[in-house]
PDB file of all heavy atoms in Angstrom:
ATOM      1  N   PRO A 321      32.368 -78.720   7.824  1.00 95.00           N
ATOM      2  CA  PRO A 321      30.954 -78.333   7.902  1.00 95.00           C
ATOM      3  C   PRO A 321      29.971 -79.465   7.623  1.00 95.00           C
ATOM      4  O   PRO A 321      28.867 -79.226   7.129  1.00 95.00           O
ATOM      5  CB  PRO A 321      30.855 -77.223   6.854  1.00 95.00           C
ATOM      6  CG  PRO A 321      31.880 -77.573   5.840  1.00 95.00           C
ATOM      7  CD  PRO A 321      33.009 -78.223   6.599  1.00 95.00           C
ATOM      8  N   PHE A 322      30.370 -80.676   7.946  1.00 92.00           N
ATOM      9  CA  PHE A 322      29.527 -81.853   7.758  1.00 92.00           C
ATOM     10  C   PHE A 322      29.687 -82.789   8.954  1.00 92.00           C
ATOM     11  O   PHE A 322      30.625 -82.643   9.745  1.00 92.00           O
ATOM     12  CB  PHE A 322      29.892 -82.588   6.456  1.00 92.00           C
ATOM     13  CG  PHE A 322      29.713 -81.755   5.227  1.00 92.00           C
ATOM     14  CD1 PHE A 322      30.789 -81.089   4.668  1.00 92.00           C
ATOM     15  CD2 PHE A 322      28.460 -81.601   4.648  1.00 92.00           C
ATOM     16  CE1 PHE A 322      30.625 -80.294   3.541  1.00 92.00           C
ATOM     17  CE2 PHE A 322      28.281 -80.809   3.527  1.00 92.00           C
ATOM     18  CZ  PHE A 322      29.366 -80.154   2.978  1.00 92.00           C
ATOM     19  N   ALA A 323      28.794 -83.753   9.056  1.00 91.00           N
ATOM     20  CA  ALA A 323      28.850 -84.718  10.158  1.00 91.00           C
ATOM     21  C   ALA A 323      30.064 -85.636  10.000  1.00 91.00           C
ATOM     22  O   ALA A 323      30.580 -85.816   8.893  1.00 91.00           O
ATOM     23  CB  ALA A 323      27.564 -85.545  10.186  1.00 91.00           C
ATOM     24  N   PRO A 324      30.531 -86.232  11.096  1.00 91.00           N
ATOM     25  CA  PRO A 324      31.658 -87.163  11.016  1.00 91.00           C
ATOM     26  C   PRO A 324      31.317 -88.385  10.160  1.00 91.00           C
ATOM     27  O   PRO A 324      30.167 -88.792  10.061  1.00 91.00           O
ATOM     28  CB  PRO A 324      31.871 -87.573  12.481  1.00 91.00           C
ATOM     29  CG  PRO A 324      31.229 -86.504  13.292  1.00 91.00           C
ATOM     30  CD  PRO A 324      30.059 -86.025  12.480  1.00 91.00           C
ATOM     31  N   GLY A 325      32.353 -88.937   9.528  1.00 85.00           N
ATOM     32  CA  GLY A 325      32.197 -90.223   8.863  1.00 85.00           C
ATOM     33  C   GLY A 325      32.227 -90.223   7.356  1.00 85.00           C
ATOM     34  O   GLY A 325      32.584 -91.221   6.749  1.00 85.00           O
ATOM     35  N   GLY A 326      31.845 -89.120   6.710  1.00 83.00           N
ATOM     36  CA  GLY A 326      31.854 -89.085   5.254  1.00 83.00           C
ATOM     37  C   GLY A 326      33.256 -88.859   4.708  1.00 83.00           C
ATOM     38  O   GLY A 326      34.217 -88.627   5.455  1.00 83.00           O
ATOM     39  N   VAL A 327      33.368 -88.906   3.384  1.00 86.00           N
ATOM     40  CA  VAL A 327      34.678 -88.724   2.746  1.00 86.00           C
ATOM     41  C   VAL A 327      35.238 -87.336   3.029  1.00 86.00           C
ATOM     42  O   VAL A 327      36.449 -87.168   3.246  1.00 86.00           O
ATOM     43  CB  VAL A 327      34.568 -88.964   1.222  1.00 86.00           C
ATOM     44  CG1 VAL A 327      35.860 -88.572   0.528  1.00 86.00           C
ATOM     45  CG2 VAL A 327      34.251 -90.423   0.940  1.00 86.00           C
ATOM     46  N   THR A 328      34.364 -86.318   3.056  1.00 89.00           N
ATOM     47  CA  THR A 328      34.830 -84.962   3.353  1.00 89.00           C
ATOM     48  C   THR A 328      35.470 -84.915   4.734  1.00 89.00           C
ATOM     49  O   THR A 328      36.554 -84.345   4.915  1.00 89.00           O
ATOM     50  CB  THR A 328      33.660 -83.966   3.288  1.00 89.00           C
ATOM     51  OG1 THR A 328      32.942 -84.167   2.076  1.00 89.00           O
ATOM     52  CG2 THR A 328      34.159 -82.537   3.335  1.00 89.00           C
ATOM     53  N   ASP A 329      34.817 -85.529   5.707  1.00 92.00           N
ATOM     54  CA  ASP A 329      35.326 -85.546   7.072  1.00 92.00           C
ATOM     55  C   ASP A 329      36.621 -86.345   7.169  1.00 92.00           C
ATOM     56  O   ASP A 329      37.603 -85.883   7.767  1.00 92.00           O
ATOM     57  CB  ASP A 329      34.267 -86.150   8.000  1.00 92.00           C
ATOM     58  CG  ASP A 329      34.760 -86.300   9.437  1.00 92.00           C
ATOM     59  OD1 ASP A 329      34.997 -85.269  10.086  1.00 92.00           O
ATOM     60  OD2 ASP A 329      34.907 -87.453   9.889  1.00 92.00           O
ATOM     61  N   THR A 330      36.664 -87.525   6.574  1.00 93.00           N
ATOM     62  CA  THR A 330      37.850 -88.375   6.709  1.00 93.00           C
ATOM     63  C   THR A 330      39.058 -87.773   5.982  1.00 93.00           C
ATOM     64  O   THR A 330      40.189 -87.876   6.458  1.00 93.00           O
ATOM     65  CB  THR A 330      37.576 -89.799   6.174  1.00 93.00           C
ATOM     66  OG1 THR A 330      37.028 -89.726   4.849  1.00 93.00           O
ATOM     67  CG2 THR A 330      36.598 -90.532   7.062  1.00 93.00           C
TER      68      THR A 330
END
Side-chain angles (χ1 to χ4, degrees):
F322 299 97
V327 171
T328 311
D329 176 66
T330 52

